[in-house]
């Protein structure tokens, strides 16, 4: 079995929160957890360190566009875990899998938020709230994937905070987020993945799916979240249902190292599903 590659993608401009630059430190701390498991880690270098003006309804559009191009170039071949950074740091990896597999990949979006806003519907212009919609083919042309994800390939788990316009767009697309039920009953995620009919799955894990009492170090902490054990069980159910071709973990603000270690079992689970050490 091929060992997975790990790429650190500390893009943070997708969040408009004042503390967003700390997402780079959070990515570095998560990367240290991977190194502690004996995994080689590389960095996407040269990413912009500042914000830029908003364009096309997206805050810091040019900084994000530059970061996306650099991340896409840095992606290693084969099974890859990307460590962010804000959620939009996952876009180049998920887009590559969709392109290379001709769309034959499900996307499991484990996140407190649907991230299904468009530039027209977003109340903030924060791109990390638009990334799944962009993967599905709606967004600024320069950021759209070469092969869009079809709505029937998207499985949303842990979603518990959805904007009103975003909810309407999900309904129009025929997507029903599984919400926190997915964490209590991971078998419904397995069933949803089977219904996609796809041959493999890309897993997106935003750490804000965890309850703030378990892991408060995220930019948009939402009450009523999951335990580490619940997320780990969901990941196992997904990995037992479809081969995991790639994965992302992110939205960690960094800080106390012992707090980062709370996420260790989840990072280890993703590595194991990609063929690496748990």
């Amino acid at each position: 079995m091929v060992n997975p590659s790990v790429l650190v993608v500390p893009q943070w401009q997708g969040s408009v929160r004042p503390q967003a630059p700390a997402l780079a430190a959070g990515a570095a701390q998560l990367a240290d957890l991977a190194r502690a498991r004996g995994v080689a880690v590389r960095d996407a270098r040269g990413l912009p360190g500042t914000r830029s003006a908003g364009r096309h309804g997206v805050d810091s559009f040019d900084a994000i566009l530059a970061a996306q191009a650099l991340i896409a170039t840095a992606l290693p071949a084969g099974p890859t875990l990307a460590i962010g950074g804000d959620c939009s740091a996952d876009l180049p990896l998920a887009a590559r899998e969709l392109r290379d597999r001709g769309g034959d990949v499900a996307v499991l979006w484990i996140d407190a938020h649907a991230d299904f806003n468009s530039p027209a519907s977003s109340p903030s212009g924060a791109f990390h709230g638009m990334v799944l919609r962009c993967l599905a083919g709606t967004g600024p042309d320069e950021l759209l994937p070469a092969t869009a994800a079809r709505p029937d390939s998207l499985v949303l788990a842990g979603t518990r905070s959805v904007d009103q316009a975003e909810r309407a767009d999900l309904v129009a697309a025929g997507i029903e987020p599984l919400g926190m039920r997915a964490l209590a009953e991971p078998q419904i995620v397995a069933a949803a993945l089977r219904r996609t009919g796809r041959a493999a799955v890309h897993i997106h894990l935003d750490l804000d799916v965890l309850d703030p009492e378990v892991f408060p170090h995220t930019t948009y902490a939402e009450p009523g979240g999951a335990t580490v054990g619940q997320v780990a069980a969901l990941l196992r159910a997904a990995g037992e249902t479809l081969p995991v071709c790639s994965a992302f973990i992110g939205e960690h603000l960094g800080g106390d190292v012992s707090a980062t270690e709370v996420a260790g079992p989840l990072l280890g689970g993703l590595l194991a599903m990609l063929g690496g050490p748990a």
Side-chain angles (χ1 to χ4, degrees), residues 160 180 183 208-212 214 224-228 230-231:
R160 56 190 188 274
M180 289 305 298
L183 279 304
D208 70 13
V209 74
L210 295 169
D211 191 89
V214 174
T227 66
V228 171
Q230 286 176 318
V231 179

Side-chain angles (χ1 to χ4, degrees), residues 185-236:
E185 305 172 50
Q187 67 271 19
I188 70 172
V189 173
L193 288 173
R194 284 192 291 269
R195 284 196 298 272
T196 69
R198 294 337 192 252
V201 60
H202 170 80
I203 296 179
H204 173 98
L205 176 57
D206 182 333
L207 290 169
D208 70 13
V209 74
L210 295 169
D211 191 89
E213 292 190 5
V214 174
F215 195 85
H217 315 286
T218 62
T219 53
Y220 284 87
E222 301 288 351
T227 66
V228 171
Q230 286 176 318
V231 179
L234 188 156
L235 292 176
R236 286 195 297 273

Side-chain angles (χ1 to χ4, degrees), residues 7 9 11-14 44 47-48 60-75 86-95 127-128 131 134-135 142-145:
L7 181 69
V9 285
Q11 176 193 305
W12 54 266
Q13 291 90 347
L47 272 58
S60 297
F61 179 85
D62 290 321
I64 290 169
L65 185 62
Q68 296 283 301
L70 289 165
I71 294 167
T73 300
L75 285 173
D86 75 72
C87 284
S88 61
D90 185 23
L91 180 58
L93 177 57
F127 187 60
H128 70 164
V131 61
C134 194
L135 271 175
E142 298 96 322
L143 293 171
L144 293 179

Side-chain angles (χ1 to χ4, degrees), residues 18 57 71 78 96 128 140 152 155 164 177 187 203 273:
I71 294 167
R96 182 189 73 178
H128 70 164
D152 64 1
V155 178
Q164 185 174 353
Q187 67 271 19
I203 296 179
M273 286 189 288

